[in-house]
Amino acid sequence: YQGFIETYRDPSGQRGEFEGFVAMVNKDMSKKFGELVHGAENFIKLLPWGEGLEKDSFLRPDFTSLDVLTFSGSGIPAGINIPNYDEIRQNEGFKNVSLGNVFPAAYKESVIPFLSDSDKVLLEKYRVAAFEVQVGLHELLGHGSGKLLRQNADGTFNFDKEKVKNPLTGKEIESWYSEGENYDSKFTTLGSAFEECRAEAVGLYLSLRPEILKIFGYEGQEAEDVMYVNWLSLLWNGAAKATEMYQPATKTWLQAHARARFVLMRLLELEGNGILTVTEVDPGKNLLLTLDRKRLATDGKRIVGDFLVKLQTIKSTGDVSSGEQLFTRLSSLEEPWLRWRDIVMMHKQPRNIFVQPNTVLKDDDVVLKRYEASASGMVTSSVERYTLAIDDALESLAAQDQQYFEELSKLAI
């Protein structure tokens, strides 16, 4: 996983940002993910869009749980599915990892606003467990599912035009990807948020299945609680955290996952007939989110299932305009949400800073050196990691690459 991979920070949604990490395999959790992979072909059949929009065959990926030692990049994800090219996922295969120690580290000291006391207790107890389930479903069966309908260079199609129908209209497929087009090139700035929303929705939809929760070791009432907390955690995040990443001045979203979760929260708020409610309990100061857990397996499943059919149909057919219309409706901050964003910002917590350990060679042993969870600990960790004259090394590399940027140098004068 070394290279220019994720496109989240590129304004055009196409150029990858460099990242790399070192980690160790968590064998116990990897075994659970292996069981999920083993059942994936059957679980994919549970998804609501039908076989016409699904891959011709499921290429079983590697799915490993890793504990991160160090991660170099602008952010540390909780899970990864690569490569980000759907045509390769579809024809050659893909691989997944869950970065298992990232999520617990992020929530050691967190404040949970906008929930009842009983929901806070459940969230604190089960959200790490629920997130492990969500990451597994999101990466493997979310990003790993669905087919792009394509016209090949020789004029043939990778689907049967006579048999495959548009699930939304019941009519023949009228749009597809042409030679040279891919998902990122067609969906550009919408692409990341749209795909993350689809993967998150798959996680919600399939977390309702007892046989999947059993793979992760949860049965009976505990499985019910983990399922509820999975829905609650994601939808609470959409209401209580996501709008931090919205810019009212430009009416834009700065983060794909935030926009995706807000869309799912708004979907259930608007179409759920009370399944999810957000109320301003203390004017200008506090909100309360409630989720009717008794209706998740019925109305919740139906609403998210119908939404998944829309998302997959739009993605499969490359129907960008319909995708834009759908996301504009669900992710625009209108009243009262524009006002409620001010309340969210009042409760905003400082952004997490991850202090990463170092390894030191001492005689014939490797010693793990940890640092305190503070600003000074982070600085000390970085200073001791780069024992070489890092500034000199970077300046030397820049000088070597100068020849490739001569045109830009002229513009800078």
Side-chain angles (χ1 to χ4, degrees), residues 365-381:
D365 294 325
V366 176
V367 177
L368 182 68
K369 186 171 182 181
R370 299 177 181 273
Y371 303 86
E372 66 176 32
S374 65
S376 62
M378 187 196 70
V379 171
T380 305
S381 168

Side-chain angles (χ1 to χ4, degrees), residues 390-403:
I390 191 69
D391 291 340
D392 293 340
L394 289 173
E395 288 176 8
S396 175
L397 290 170
Q400 291 176 38
D401 290 345
Q402 184 64 37
Q403 59 182 310

